[in-house]
Amino acid sequence: MNSHLLTLQPACFWKHFAKLLEIPHETGHEQALAEYVIQVAKQNSLSAIKDELHNVIVYKPGNPNRSTVILQSHLDMVCEKTPNSQHDFQADPIATQINGDWLETNGTTLGADNGFGVALMLALLEEQNQNWGSLELLFTTQEETTMAGAKAVDPTWLSGNYLINLDGARLNRITIGSAGAQDVDLLLPIQRTQPPQQAWQLEIKGLQGGHSGVDIHRPRANAIKLITEILLPVCEKINLVDLAGGNAHNAIPNQATAIFGWVEANSANQAKLQSLIDQTLKTWQKREPNLVIELNQTSDARPALSIESQNNLLSLLSELPHGVLTQHPKLPKTVMTSNNLA
Ligand SMILES: [Zn+2]
């Protein structure tokens, strides 16, 4: 399926990356990939250990007069796909094609984060003509969610003087230092009344989205914010049934859907909503050229939220901050604090 990768150089790297694409490795399901790492280590007569969380360490002895270096990458990947993709991240290999200088997938994430780091370390593990110091090759798990893998690594596994993490986002740059992150889960109790006579679906899609740790400063729209801005001004004219958006805590939401009914389905109310949709499209058309907002009748028998619950929800989503909160006082164009509403 990905045999075109085997023609690329350096071959010692691409053969492992091609193999990675065949082994599903969503966060929390890293066992199979961890076993592949162990297998490669064994084939090269290197000692390796795997723990309960499927973290793996491989020891590659080197020149004793040089420093021991720890290399780290993470085995798990973010699994995202386009809404019409049939891909099963638990079972299917990720199909790719080469387009110019780019390696592309068919509507799924590629897993270059951090498959490139993993494949690079496997290539180094097999390197024969080295005069480096010893390498301690550390592969951790659940990086994309809780860092549970890295947190549980047995410190006695490591003796190296230096650690280089291969999970960077930019070519030809070394990052010194790191940022912290915190998840806040909000739970808003709601009450429901009765189903609307006719349900409508408002859908926002086609936004660029992106990684909240990398793209938060870019002029991109958050689908949850957009749908809230459209609905809030007509809050008293609708009965909201459902509001959903986003896929992951670290992905900027690129789609959102609201189900609602009209309190009074008159043309004035509908025109007001349409003007809010048109205004949003106009505001974002340059920065989000693929933005689509669709309004269609739908069948949904669920009861609507009470007026109070609906007001609470839309007000909360409107008030919650999204995007850059503060810039670094000294370093230009450097984000200090940001929030991803997702
Ligand atoms: Zn990563």
mmCIF file of all heavy atoms in Angstrom, residues 74 76 113-114 143-144 167, ligand 1:
data_model
loop_
_atom_site.group_PDB
_atom_site.id
_atom_site.type_symbol
_atom_site.label_atom_id
_atom_site.label_comp_id
_atom_site.label_asym_id
_atom_site.label_seq_id
_atom_site.Cartn_x
_atom_site.Cartn_y
_atom_site.Cartn_z
ATOM 1 N N HIS A 74 7.511 9.717 21.048
ATOM 2 C CA HIS A 74 6.314 9.056 21.591
ATOM 3 C C HIS A 74 5.647 8.185 20.538
ATOM 4 O O HIS A 74 5.630 8.510 19.352
ATOM 5 C CB HIS A 74 5.342 10.051 22.231
ATOM 6 C CG HIS A 74 4.718 11.060 21.318
ATOM 7 N ND1 HIS A 74 3.588 10.799 20.582
ATOM 8 C CD2 HIS A 74 5.051 12.344 21.045
ATOM 9 C CE1 HIS A 74 3.243 11.885 19.906
ATOM 10 N NE2 HIS A 74 4.114 12.839 20.150
ATOM 11 N N ASP A 76 2.423 7.169 20.362
ATOM 12 C CA ASP A 76 1.014 7.378 20.002
ATOM 13 C C ASP A 76 0.845 8.540 19.035
ATOM 14 O O ASP A 76 1.714 9.404 18.914
ATOM 15 C CB ASP A 76 0.173 7.632 21.256
ATOM 16 C CG ASP A 76 0.667 8.821 22.067
ATOM 17 O OD1 ASP A 76 1.889 8.922 22.294
ATOM 18 O OD2 ASP A 76 -0.165 9.659 22.457
ATOM 19 N N ASP A 113 3.675 13.161 13.593
ATOM 20 C CA ASP A 113 3.801 13.453 15.023
ATOM 21 C C ASP A 113 3.344 12.201 15.769
ATOM 22 O O ASP A 113 2.158 11.942 15.855
ATOM 23 C CB ASP A 113 2.936 14.658 15.379
ATOM 24 C CG ASP A 113 2.898 14.938 16.865
ATOM 25 O OD1 ASP A 113 3.652 14.307 17.616
ATOM 26 O OD2 ASP A 113 2.084 15.796 17.265
ATOM 27 N N ASN A 114 4.178 11.368 16.246
ATOM 28 C CA ASN A 114 5.609 11.519 16.312
ATOM 29 C C ASN A 114 6.293 10.354 15.577
ATOM 30 O O ASN A 114 7.411 9.974 15.886
ATOM 31 C CB ASN A 114 6.006 11.596 17.778
ATOM 32 C CG ASN A 114 7.432 12.013 18.038
ATOM 33 O OD1 ASN A 114 7.970 11.613 19.036
ATOM 34 N ND2 ASN A 114 8.076 12.760 17.167
ATOM 35 N N GLU A 143 1.281 10.398 24.953
ATOM 36 C CA GLU A 143 1.780 11.772 24.977
ATOM 37 C C GLU A 143 0.693 12.760 24.574
ATOM 38 O O GLU A 143 0.640 13.870 25.078
ATOM 39 C CB GLU A 143 2.979 11.901 24.031
ATOM 40 C CG GLU A 143 3.743 13.208 24.163
ATOM 41 C CD GLU A 143 3.195 14.345 23.315
ATOM 42 O OE1 GLU A 143 2.342 14.103 22.426
ATOM 43 O OE2 GLU A 143 3.596 15.489 23.541
ATOM 44 N N GLU A 144 -0.169 12.351 23.639
ATOM 45 C CA GLU A 144 -1.135 13.298 23.071
ATOM 46 C C GLU A 144 -2.285 13.617 24.019
ATOM 47 O O GLU A 144 -3.080 14.509 23.743
ATOM 48 C CB GLU A 144 -1.692 12.749 21.750
ATOM 49 C CG GLU A 144 -0.634 12.535 20.670
ATOM 50 C CD GLU A 144 -0.063 13.845 20.126
ATOM 51 O OE1 GLU A 144 -0.517 14.916 20.549
ATOM 52 O OE2 GLU A 144 0.848 13.774 19.295
ATOM 53 N N ASP A 167 10.370 15.330 19.180
ATOM 54 C CA ASP A 167 8.963 15.643 18.914
ATOM 55 C C ASP A 167 8.792 17.116 18.565
ATOM 56 O O ASP A 167 7.793 17.727 18.905
ATOM 57 C CB ASP A 167 8.125 15.279 20.150
ATOM 58 C CG ASP A 167 6.642 15.240 19.847
ATOM 59 O OD1 ASP A 167 6.280 15.118 18.661
ATOM 60 O OD2 ASP A 167 5.849 15.326 20.800
HETATM 61 ZN ZN ZN B 1 4.051 14.776 19.377
#
